[in-house]
Amino acid sequence: MMTRQLPKIGMAWGSGAARGWAHVGVLKALDELGIEVTVEAGCSVGALVSAARRLGVWDEFLTWAKELDPIGAFGHFAIGIGAGGFINPARAFEVFRYADKDICDLDKPWGAVATDLATGQEVWLTRGSVLDAARASSAIPLVMQAAPVMFQGAERWMIDGAASNPVPVSLARALGAERVISVDLNASAVTLTRFDRPTTRAVVPVEPEPVEEESFLPETVTSLIRDTKNFLDREITMARAKAKSKPHLFETAAATMDIVQAHLAQARAQIDVADLRLTPKLDDISAAAFDRHEEITERGYLAAMAKKDQLLAIAGLYEDEDVRAPAGTGS
């Protein structure tokens, strides 16, 4: 009996910082379904997650990543202004340096996408150090310091691949994937809601002053005092709400990247069409929500399992050809 030749499955792992925990959930689902991934292309956190699997440090990486809450993260990074960012991630990457390999020495095709700071061009990193490629791919502008990488015989400064190709379907195909599954973590720009500040006093809830049953003052005077206090309470509450809604430096930078990634990923998805596009529901989760790793992982898992039949069909694991999803089915 002839053995059926299964297609080479490629994964395009998208950018998204803390939302990258959804990639962990998708991987869990793929493992449960018995889908073998042959080719991987990653952008930013997608490059980090896929690199950890390829280098054989998966468990260590997950343990390390779970410590990246708003406080614990400072123990892993060096803080200081330089090379276009406040955070130097070199210390964190050195933790896994012992397992680093040349990309060409990996057992299966892998690559990361970065953006050349000098030219703005998308760069495919498919040679050299896996860790250096992952670091360059995840150098978030204004946050992570740009990374120097040897590219085409010269040292180039690279920033986050999300600035040019947030979900690298094109790279996955170039690496030999016959069918590509993409995981887009930025289908909606969650940070937009942060700046939707109240514009009228009607939207600011204020508890009205209770009416006193007895007062030695005339009713007209009591009513005037109560109405005046309610008015001042509303004005103060409104002022506080407006002050809290003002954007700050880091969240403005994060919001800008979030918006750009959402629009760019959507545009690229129309050009570089994946056979299946997974979009975990993350519209209420900030890219900095590292402490919600269990919840984000679960959402990635559920997004993949919701497309179970399509995943199995694309992977060629259905015997019946009639149920196989055609290429370019998208999301």
Side-chain angles (χ1 to χ4, degrees):
M1 180 178 179
M2 272 185 81
T3 303
R4 241 174 0 117
Q5 186 69 34
L6 297 178
K8 292 181 181 179
I9 301 301
M11 295 299 303
W13 302 107
S15 59
R19 297 177 199 159
W21 280 105
H23 291 325
V24 178
V26 171
L27 281 166
K28 178 182 176 184
L30 294 177
D31 288 344
E32 287 185 12
L33 295 174
I35 296 175
E36 182 181 355
V37 176
T38 303
V39 175
E40 291 183 278
C43 177
S44 198
V45 70
L48 292 175
V49 171
S50 57
R53 289 263 288 201
R54 289 303 171 96
L55 293 176
V57 292
W58 186 241
D59 292 338
E60 298 95 318
F61 172 76
L62 293 182
T63 299
W64 171 83
K66 286 176 182 177
E67 298 176 6
L68 295 181
D69 54 46
I71 297 177
F74 286 99
H76 297 281
F77 302 108
I79 308 300
I81 299 176
F86 286 90
I87 298 175
N88 183 352
R91 183 189 300 171
F93 281 90
E94 287 306 312
V95 173
F96 302 101
R97 187 62 64 179
Y98 71 93
D100 194 18
K101 295 180 181 179
D102 189 288
I103 297 173
C104 296
D105 293 332
L106 295 175
D107 57 347
K108 295 178 181 178
W110 179 91
V113 62
T115 305
D116 191 322
L117 187 58
T119 65
Q121 292 181 332
E122 173 184 344
V123 173
W124 292 351
L125 301 174
T126 57
R127 294 183 180 181
S129 162
V130 171
L131 288 181
D132 289 349
R135 177 187 170 186
S137 180
S138 56
I140 305 170
L142 298 181
V143 180
M144 295 285 186
Q145 293 180 8
V149 173
M150 290 301 296
F151 180 69
Q152 295 181 344
E155 186 178 75
R156 309 292 296 178
W157 286 94
M158 301 291 177
I159 59 171
D160 202 317
S164 55
N165 191 356
V167 189
V169 172
S170 53
L171 175 56
R173 293 203 188 279
L175 290 172
E178 295 170 343
R179 295 180 183 173
V180 177
I181 301 163
S182 68
V183 186
D184 186 353
L185 308 180
N186 299 287
S188 59
V190 64
T191 318
L192 288 173
T193 59
R194 168 68 179 84
F195 306 118
D196 188 15
R197 72 179 188 181
T199 55
T200 69
R201 290 161 181 77
V203 301
V204 182
V206 178
E207 285 293 327
E209 184 73 13
V211 178
E212 297 182 7
E213 294 184 359
E214 295 183 7
S215 175
F216 64 89
L217 296 173
E219 173 59 27
T220 53
V221 176
T222 302
S223 178
L224 176 62
I225 293 174
R226 183 174 62 249
D227 292 344
T228 301
K229 186 176 187 307
N230 287 341
F231 171 78
L232 292 174
D233 285 344
R234 284 195 300 272
E235 291 298 307
I236 292 172
T237 304
M238 182 66 185
R240 287 175 177 170
K242 285 185 175 182
K244 289 181 179 179
S245 72
K246 291 180 180 178
H248 306 296
L249 174 62
F250 286 113
E251 65 184 356
T252 301
T256 302
M257 283 299 294
D258 205 33
I259 295 166
V260 170
Q261 286 182 76
H263 287 286
L264 185 54
Q266 182 62 34
R268 291 294 298 250
Q270 304 302 314
I271 301 170
D272 303 321
V273 181
D275 294 277
L276 180 64
R277 180 176 175 229
L278 300 179
T279 56
K281 188 180 185 307
L282 303 170
D283 56 353
D284 61 331
I285 294 181
S286 163
F290 292 101
D291 54 341
R292 298 173 67 179
H293 54 85
E294 290 185 6
E295 178 186 357
I296 300 172
T297 299
E298 180 67 10
R299 293 196 192 187
Y301 175 81
L302 292 175
M305 294 306 286
K307 302 286 186 179
K308 174 182 175 180
D309 290 341
Q310 289 171 269
L311 285 168
L312 290 172
I314 286 170
L317 297 179
Y318 276 143
E319 293 293 336
D320 186 354
E321 292 292 327
D322 291 337
V323 299
R324 180 171 297 175
T329 55
S331 56

